[in-house]
Amino acid sequence: MPIKNLSFFSNHWLLWSILAISALGGPLLNAWLGFPIPVGFDAQYSTLGGVLPYSDASSYFGSGYYFNDIGYLDSWNMRRPLNALFFIFRLHITNYNFWYAMVLQAALCIVALFIYLRTIQRDLG
């Protein structure tokens, strides 16, 4: 039997969209500002002003330019080719602007999370 006593959330699509935007837009804004939260974060560990860690993300970012120049994925990105190719596609759409690609990725995640939350809301109430 489905739970029907969640009537408060039944028609509050604005609440669900604010929740989706804050869950995915908050970390993006935090990174854009140079990680002011938490205060003790060491931004020297990362590249691009504290946005990309040296470990994995910088290799994915560099593969966008490598793929554009050569036309092949490097050995690092052959492990997860879909992730690299989707990121390269977002970079290509935004004319290789990193920040616009991140905003596009956050927007796509917000839309997906909003649809997911609406589905849960319809199933539970």
Side-chain angles (χ1 to χ4, degrees):
M1 180 171 95
I3 300 171
K4 294 293 183 184
N5 58 0
L6 297 176
S7 62
F8 174 74
F9 296 108
S10 62
N11 291 322
H12 290 82
W13 62 270
L14 183 62
L15 176 71
W16 292 111
S17 24
I18 290 172
L19 180 65
I21 288 170
S22 63
L24 297 169
L28 178 66
L29 182 65
N30 190 32
W32 203 319
L33 295 175
F35 291 102
I37 303 170
V39 178
F41 182 79
D42 184 16
Q44 298 300 322
Y45 169 73
S46 303
T47 60
L48 288 178
V51 178
L52 295 176
Y54 284 120
S55 58
D56 291 349
S58 61
S59 297
Y60 289 122
F61 180 68
S63 73
Y65 292 103
Y66 181 81
F67 186 81
N68 187 34
D69 293 339
I70 306 298
Y72 294 103
L73 290 175
D74 57 359
S75 62
W76 176 263
N77 290 299
M78 290 304 286
R79 298 181 305 151
R80 295 178 191 96
L82 286 179
N83 183 28
L85 290 174
F86 284 145
F87 181 66
I88 292 165
F89 180 70
R90 286 189 303 270
L91 279 176
H92 187 70
I93 287 175
T94 60
N95 199 20
Y96 289 89
N97 186 329
F98 173 74
W99 289 112
Y100 290 159
M102 290 293 104
V103 168
L104 180 63
Q105 179 176 346
L108 292 172
C109 288
I110 287 169
V111 169
L113 183 62
F114 176 75
I115 292 170
Y116 174 72
L117 290 174
R118 287 287 292 171
T119 304
I120 288 177
Q121 179 262 328
R122 287 183 184 159
D123 288 345
L124 294 178

